[in-house]
Amino acid sequence: MCIRDSPDGGQISIDYIMHPEVNAAFADQTPIIILLPGLTGDRYCGYMKAIIAEASLRLYKCVVLNHRGCSKTPIITPKLYCAGSLEDTTEGMRAIKNRYPKNPLFGIGISLGGTLLGNYAAAEGNNCGLKGIVLICTPFEFLACSKSNSLFGFYNLGMAYGLKRKLREHIEQLKPLEKKYGINLE
């Protein structure tokens, strides 16, 4: 895992995952799949493991761009990630493109990661550096999705529990938000 500083002083992490049969030097022609996980996901969640395993069978290199606070990435500023901010995604993509300037790059984004990847590709246009992207289960209209009671509310409940778990992991770093916004994080 590589920790990368964001422009605002926060940190993201990038996991470089390689199949043992691929040369460690990574030939310029080795395709790289950049993965952006969902809301509380990282390289260790089930769907990411499945994608990484399948890509590894085909000798692709996988790079996981983790959100702030995920995959044991410390939160050092009172800012989490959100689909409306592309700073962390842009910084992570820049780091990956600089590390592998000649390799063909592809992107796969799942759920919130798909929203970030789609927004990044739209904002950067032809300069995004990606040969193609796949967006899986991506919410394009957040307001409509938030009003949805999908699967009788179980899906929303699951997301809420995942977010609470992330907040608890980083409660001390987020304490300054209580006073600033008049909220109670406990």
Side-chain angles (χ1 to χ4, degrees):
M1 176 169 56
C2 172
I3 300 290
R4 184 89 185 165
D5 292 332
S6 290
D8 70 347
Q11 292 182 329
I12 57 171
S13 66
I14 303 171
D15 288 323
Y16 296 93
I17 303 162
M18 178 176 52
H19 188 280
E21 293 180 26
V22 178
N23 184 323
F26 272 95
D28 291 346
Q29 69 273 13
T30 303
I32 298 174
I33 300 174
I34 302 168
L35 299 161
L36 281 79
L39 187 63
T40 57
D42 59 23
R43 75 178 277 190
Y44 301 104
C45 65
Y47 62 86
M48 294 295 279
K49 286 181 180 179
I51 294 170
I52 291 166
E54 193 63 34
S56 293
L57 289 174
R58 288 160 173 70
L59 303 181
Y60 281 64
K61 177 177 178 54
C62 289
V63 177
V64 180
L65 182 51
N66 296 297
H67 311 298
R68 293 178 188 220
C70 294
S71 195
K72 297 184 174 45
T73 305
I75 292 181
I76 58 174
T77 61
K79 177 184 173 187
L80 293 174
Y81 53 91
C82 77
S85 174
L86 291 177
E87 291 174 347
D88 292 348
T89 302
T90 301
E91 184 57 37
M93 291 294 204
R94 182 181 301 120
I96 295 164
K97 290 189 296 187
N98 286 342
R99 186 168 178 167
Y100 301 107
K102 296 180 181 178
N103 296 71
L105 303 175
F106 300 89
I108 299 176
I110 298 91
S111 193
L112 174 73
T115 302
L116 288 167
L117 181 59
N119 287 340
Y120 169 78
E124 295 292 317
N126 291 336
N127 295 324
C128 76
L130 299 172
K131 300 263 184 216
I133 64 172
V134 176
L135 309 178
I136 302 171
C137 297
T138 301
F140 291 108
E141 294 190 34
F142 285 105
L143 186 56
C145 290
S146 69
K147 290 179 181 177
S148 165
N149 206 9
S150 58
L151 297 174
F152 307 103
F154 293 121
Y155 184 70
N156 293 339
L157 187 62
M159 287 193 307
Y161 280 122
L163 285 172
K164 281 177 68 173
R165 188 174 55 252
K166 287 293 172 204
L167 282 173
R168 282 190 195 115
E169 289 174 18
H170 304 286
I171 194 76
E172 290 307 312
Q173 294 85 353
L174 299 172
K175 281 285 189 188
L177 296 176
E178 286 186 314
K179 189 173 188 179
K180 182 175 181 178
Y181 296 105
I183 57 174
N184 181 355
L185 292 174
E186 296 295 329

